[in-house]
Amino acid sequence: MNPKNLVIGIVLGIALTAGILVAMKTINVAPTEPGTATILPLKTAVPAFSAFDQNGDAINQEIFKGQWDLVFFGFTNCPDICPLTLQVLSAARTQLRESGHTPLPRIVLVSVDPERDTPAKISTYIDNFGDENLGITGDLEEIKSLASGLFIFFEKQAGDGDYYAVDHAANVLVIDPDGRLHAIFSTPHKIENFVNDLPLVTRS
Amino acid sequence: MKILEPIRHARSLLLFAACATACTADTSAPLVATDLVVTQALPGVMMSAGYVTLTNNSAEIISLTSVSSPQFASVEIHETIIANDIARMRPVEKLVIAPGQTVKLEPGAKHLMLMQAQESTDKKAVDLITLNFYADNLLVLSVSTTLGS
């Protein structure tokens, strides 16, 4: 190749690349991949379980079908990380609603302390974090079965009578409308993580 | 640098730094509390959380070993530890604050856990929370705030 043409080619290539980069920055190209959520390549179905919702009605794995769910395993007597996480989810859901995003995910709290968390207590608790939330509690072994099927760890700690803590997974699971574990948000949880990533997750 | 000896330093440390809703903390006191918040327990929940910023203005290490409140049966310093996406809450036996150091008790980290709110017969005082911080058995700081502020 003529050296002169080679130089011209290189200059044109650099100019084209720079132009593309400037154009992408100018028009603020939206990301196509989630920044913090992990979309799972293999979708695992929610395992069979039997429990109660916040109204005391019997539910099973079918409750997770038909909508997108953000699922957090926690407990009402958790004074710090649980309300913090649910506040983040609630605020993110509000922002998504205000921006017109659909489908709007449901917030689900599964109690890792079903001994203390009655349906009535769960009902009162989740009402603090918005409308249309789902609370799940029930027999401890059933909750353990649900948790382990979704790769969630929890373990009651020693305490004094009714005063004890429960160690538990702090990530937020995304369940798709087919009732399958679709994606995971790891800690730390921030409102913008959910607002930015959920539109990408729900169309992936 | 010496560990605080409660009896020898009792006089100076008993200069309380009080911080109510309209915080008027004495910033020259040995231990100063600011940004005190006690969350209102959600209905049906037995526990509240407390958050505060503590500054050691003294020349000695201050080691807080316990906290009490007339409005709660028990108050403990706890720490939320998140590792590998697992949240664990553990009691903190001793909160050590070096001279000149500021320690924050904040959401998702070290915090106060207030258990079993006491019934109050005084309707006006029902929302006022007082927290007493001790180094061993010596009261070193007493602060008040309104619930949920």
Side-chain angles (χ1 to χ4, degrees), chain A residues 140-160:
Chain A
L140 179 60
E141 292 307 314
E142 291 289 330
I143 300 295
K144 279 183 178 174
S145 174
L146 170 61
S148 63
L150 292 171
F151 316 107
I152 290 292
F153 162 87
F154 72 91
E155 186 174 70
K156 179 181 173 181
Q157 299 301 298
D160 181 14

Side-chain angles (χ1 to χ4, degrees), chain A residues 76-77 79-81 83-84 116 121 124-125 128-129 153 157 162-171 185-187, chain B residues 39 42-49 51 80 82 84-90 106-109 111 113 115-117:
Chain A
T76 65
N77 275 300
D80 190 51
I81 193 70
L84 283 174
R116 290 185 295 187
K121 191 174 282 189
T124 306
Y125 186 77
N128 291 286
F129 304 102
F153 162 87
Q157 299 301 298
D162 272 346
Y163 293 90
Y164 57 85
V166 182
D167 292 349
H168 59 95
N171 35 28
F185 283 88
S186 294
T187 57
Chain B
T39 62
L42 298 171
V45 175
M46 294 183 287
M47 298 168 193
S48 295
Y51 307 108
T80 298
I82 299 178
N84 299 322
D85 272 341
I86 304 294
R88 294 181 164 87
M89 196 167 62
R90 294 290 181 268
E106 56 191 348
H111 60 276
M113 192 157 89
M115 294 170 273
Q116 201 174 344

Side-chain angles (χ1 to χ4, degrees), chain B residues 8 30-31 63 65 73 78 82 87 91-92 103-104 116-117 122 124 136 138-140:
Chain B
R8 187 160 66 80
L31 184 61
S63 296
T65 50
H78 278 210
I82 299 178
V92 175
V103 171
K104 288 188 175 183
Q116 201 174 344
D122 183 351
K124 291 180 181 174
D136 292 326
L138 176 70
L139 177 65
V140 294

Side-chain angles (χ1 to χ4, degrees), chain B residues 7-74:
Chain B
I7 296 174
R8 187 160 66 80
H9 293 276
R11 193 171 173 184
S12 63
L13 287 171
L14 281 170
L15 295 170
F16 298 156
C19 178
T21 308
C23 185
T24 55
D26 175 4
T27 54
S28 65
L31 184 61
V32 174
T34 53
D35 302 326
L36 172 62
V37 174
V38 175
T39 62
Q40 183 134 29
L42 298 171
V45 175
M46 294 183 287
M47 298 168 193
S48 295
Y51 307 108
V52 65
T53 299
L54 298 167
T55 300
N56 180 358
N57 288 326
S58 78
E60 313 289 346
I61 291 172
I62 296 176
S63 296
L64 299 175
T65 50
S66 63
V67 186
S68 71
S69 169
Q71 289 79 33
F72 290 87
S74 175

Side-chain angles (χ1 to χ4, degrees), chain B residues 38 46 48 68-75 114-120 122 125-132 142-145 147:
Chain B
V38 175
M46 294 183 287
S48 295
S68 71
S69 169
Q71 289 79 33
F72 290 87
S74 175
V75 181
L114 303 96
M115 294 170 273
Q116 201 174 344
Q118 302 293 287
E119 294 287 335
S120 174
D122 183 351
V126 70
D127 287 338
L128 185 68
I129 304 297
T130 298
L131 293 169
N132 301 314
S142 185
V143 291
S144 295
T145 190
L147 192 61

Side-chain angles (χ1 to χ4, degrees), chain A residues 27-177:
Chain A
I27 61 175
N28 194 19
V29 175
T32 54
E33 297 292 328
T36 54
T38 301
I39 296 175
L40 302 174
L42 187 65
K43 313 291 190 278
T44 304
V46 173
F49 74 100
S50 177
F52 299 98
D53 67 11
Q54 70 268 31
N55 302 313
D57 294 330
I59 59 169
N60 58 28
Q61 62 278 9
E62 296 297 315
I63 198 77
F64 286 105
K65 291 183 179 172
Q67 68 291 304
W68 287 90
D69 285 322
L70 294 174
V71 183
F72 180 69
F73 285 72
F75 60 113
T76 65
N77 275 300
C78 160
D80 190 51
I81 193 70
C82 300
L84 283 174
T85 302
L86 290 168
Q87 282 167 7
V88 166
L89 296 183
S90 177
R93 190 174 189 275
T94 299
Q95 285 191 25
L96 286 167
R97 178 167 52 203
E98 288 172 352
S99 67
H101 171 75
T102 56
L104 209 53
R106 180 174 61 176
I107 297 171
V108 181
L109 171 66
V110 181
S111 175
V112 294
D113 183 21
E115 293 172 67
R116 290 185 295 187
D117 285 341
T118 61
K121 191 174 282 189
I122 288 271
S123 176
T124 306
Y125 186 77
I126 60 172
D127 278 352
N128 291 286
F129 304 102
D131 303 326
E132 303 166 357
N133 298 336
L134 171 66
I136 296 178
T137 188
D139 178 76
L140 179 60
E141 292 307 314
E142 291 289 330
I143 300 295
K144 279 183 178 174
S145 174
L146 170 61
S148 63
L150 292 171
F151 316 107
I152 290 292
F153 162 87
F154 72 91
E155 186 174 70
K156 179 181 173 181
Q157 299 301 298
D160 181 14
D162 272 346
Y163 293 90
Y164 57 85
V166 182
D167 292 349
H168 59 95
N171 35 28
V172 172
L173 311 181
V174 182
I175 307 291
D176 67 24

